[in-house]
Amino acid sequence: MSNLVKKCPECGSINLFLNKDKGEVICKDCGLVVEEKMVDFGQEWREFDSDSGDKKRRTGAPMTYTQYDQGLGTEVGQKADLYKLGTKEKNKFFRLRKWQYRISTAIERNLKLALAELKRVSSYLKLPKSVEEEAARIYTLAVQRGLVRGRSMESVVAGSLYAACRRHDVPRTLDELSEASGIDKKEVGRTYRFVTRELGISILPSNPADYIARFASSLKLSAEAQSKAIEILEMAQRVELTSGRGPTGIAAAALYVSALIFGEKRTQREVADVAGVTEVTIRNRYKELLEKLGLEKDIKKTKKKKKD
DNA sequence: AAGACGAAAGTGGTTGA
DNA sequence: TCAACAACTTTCGTCTT
């Protein structure tokens, strides 16, 4: 992995921080998201590592849901494999072996197609492997329960991916999922809700803070402004400004305010675009933030400073 | 002229009878 | 199943820089 170390294009620092779950590489000095939505951390790192050969290549879990037969194929039931696995994995293997016999060929074909589509969308969004795996798991469950019937395969794939993103705190907006999958936004939302409900997947509302890093980076805001935005967010949460509102709108407003405070002015339009909300929403949130948190003085301060 | 602000009407989703 | 409701959007006119 050491070959991954790069310099920050913004400040030249090599003090980079890798957040595997979110698939982001962040510069610790200036806060720039050097590389976001990184692709795989598992088997696909050959580009970085070609000379060190085969032994490092296979580092993934012994089983993967992203292959339609869980990567087992004819190997199911070979006892040699089972020795290496814990009880949990063993149980999985036994269950899988059952499927192997029970599953109809129709479902297999469906899965094969769907997982190809899932990989396509996932790589388009540059989602980390862990999310892709989770999505594949969800989709597999959905197929088993017959939840795909009456819905397009693609929309269920999109819904599964969206759910997986939420569970891994690596939020992508419905818009992004919709664009990547070519499925209507409403449809993605609908199947997402349907699938999560039917499978009993707990859905905690996504945290606005999870969006900050990505938005701030697109807006090229400084690290200070970014952490100030998170601060504002925490304050807002304490006074109950956040419940019931769309997380992206809140994140956007927090960024807008902190940009003003640090004299790194961005227009409402710019912020609205990267956050995927309208200016009006930003204005409303922004107004609330100023009222309840008394941030006017901070903004005025920086205005005066500019005059000097 | 561009951006910020606010009002009014419309949309889609949630909720509770 | 339907109506009320809140959040968000769209549109448009006015004010500020």
Side-chain angles (χ1 to χ4, degrees):
Chain A
M1 234 23 181
S2 61
N3 295 350
L4 272 176
V5 174
K6 295 173 187 170
K7 282 187 180 176
C8 170
E10 192 72 14
C11 65
S13 161
I14 54 164
N15 196 5
L16 300 182
F17 171 71
L18 172 64
N19 184 331
K20 284 194 185 187
D21 283 336
K22 297 197 186 182
E24 290 169 346
V25 176
I26 297 160
C27 172
K28 277 190 174 175
D29 288 331
C30 69
L32 181 80
V33 175
V34 178
E35 206 164 318
E36 64 172 336
K37 308 172 177 176
M38 285 189 60
V39 200
D40 293 342
F41 295 94
Q43 287 110 323
E44 302 289 331
W45 58 2
R46 267 160 288 180
E47 318 124 69
F48 307 114
D49 207 354
S50 56
D51 41 349
S52 59
D54 289 333
K55 45 190 168 179
K56 276 190 177 177
R57 212 171 273 168
R58 289 292 166 191
T59 53
M63 190 178 69
T64 174
Y65 277 93
T66 47
Q67 285 167 18
Y68 74 100
D69 59 356
Q70 271 74 45
L72 295 173
T74 57
E75 286 175 357
V76 171
Q78 286 188 1
K79 281 179 185 164
D81 287 340
L82 294 177
Y83 286 117
K84 302 172 200 157
L85 303 168
T87 350
K88 232 182 171 180
E89 283 85 349
K90 252 191 214 170
N91 284 334
K92 264 187 191 167
F93 263 84
F94 285 127
R95 264 189 290 128
L96 290 170
R97 192 158 57 168
K98 268 189 200 166
W99 295 352
Q100 203 70 15
Y101 292 111
R102 286 188 189 169
I103 269 178
S104 74
T105 54
I107 288 184
E108 272 190 36
R109 228 177 299 127
N110 181 324
L111 270 179
K112 191 174 184 179
L113 280 171
L115 293 177
E117 167 72 5
L118 191 146
K119 278 194 172 181
R120 212 206 86 235
V121 178
S122 163
S123 80
Y124 181 92
L125 288 169
K126 306 280 169 45
L127 292 169
K129 189 82 181 167
S130 57
V131 172
E132 193 181 311
E133 285 276 332
E134 177 82 6
R137 217 194 88 233
I138 294 172
Y139 184 87
T140 308
L141 285 173
V143 172
Q144 284 178 277
R145 304 270 185 98
L147 300 181
V148 190
R149 195 168 290 266
R151 253 162 279 269
S152 78
M153 190 198 78
E154 289 89 347
S155 71
V156 180
V157 165
S160 305
L161 265 171
Y162 184 66
C165 287
R166 292 281 290 268
R167 292 202 94 193
H168 284 250
D169 292 328
V170 31
R172 296 290 179 267
T173 60
L174 274 179
D175 281 314
E176 290 169 294
L177 241 329
S178 159
E179 196 216 320
S181 63
I183 304 290
D184 188 67
K185 183 182 162 189
K186 294 176 221 159
E187 188 60 29
V188 178
R190 245 203 306 275
T191 49
Y192 155 72
R193 249 173 287 115
F194 180 73
V195 167
T196 47
R197 187 158 37 84
E198 291 298 314
L199 296 179
I201 296 170
S202 63
I203 27 144
L204 14 152
S206 63
N207 184 348
D210 293 327
Y211 291 98
I212 292 288
R214 212 151 44 86
F215 292 167
S217 171
S218 314
L219 290 168
K220 306 227 182 337
L221 288 171
S222 70
E224 298 89 60
Q226 184 176 329
S227 51
K228 180 74 182 176
I230 290 180
E231 230 177 88
I232 293 173
L233 247 133
E234 281 166 1
M235 287 163 64
Q237 262 156 2
R238 229 166 286 137
V239 271
E240 246 102 54
L241 270 183
T242 55
S243 69
R245 277 100 214 262
T248 49
I250 298 169
L255 276 171
Y256 177 69
V257 174
S258 83
L260 285 182
I261 291 177
F262 282 89
E264 305 172 24
K265 171 123 173 135
R266 300 289 181 278
T267 66
Q268 294 180 348
R269 180 78 263 145
E270 288 173 298
V271 182
D273 279 343
V274 306
V277 296
T278 61
E279 302 162 75
V280 183
T281 303
I282 294 197
R283 274 203 293 277
N284 292 337
R285 294 296 94 77
Y286 163 70
K287 209 171 44 173
E288 290 166 1
L289 286 176
L290 290 194
E291 274 170 19
K292 306 259 175 165
L293 301 179
L295 291 165
E296 293 99 328
K297 46 187 166 114
D298 296 288
I299 296 176
K300 276 178 189 160
K301 245 186 254 165
T302 57
K303 271 191 183 171
K304 274 194 178 173
K305 264 190 191 168
K306 267 203 167 176
K307 278 188 179 175
D308 296 343

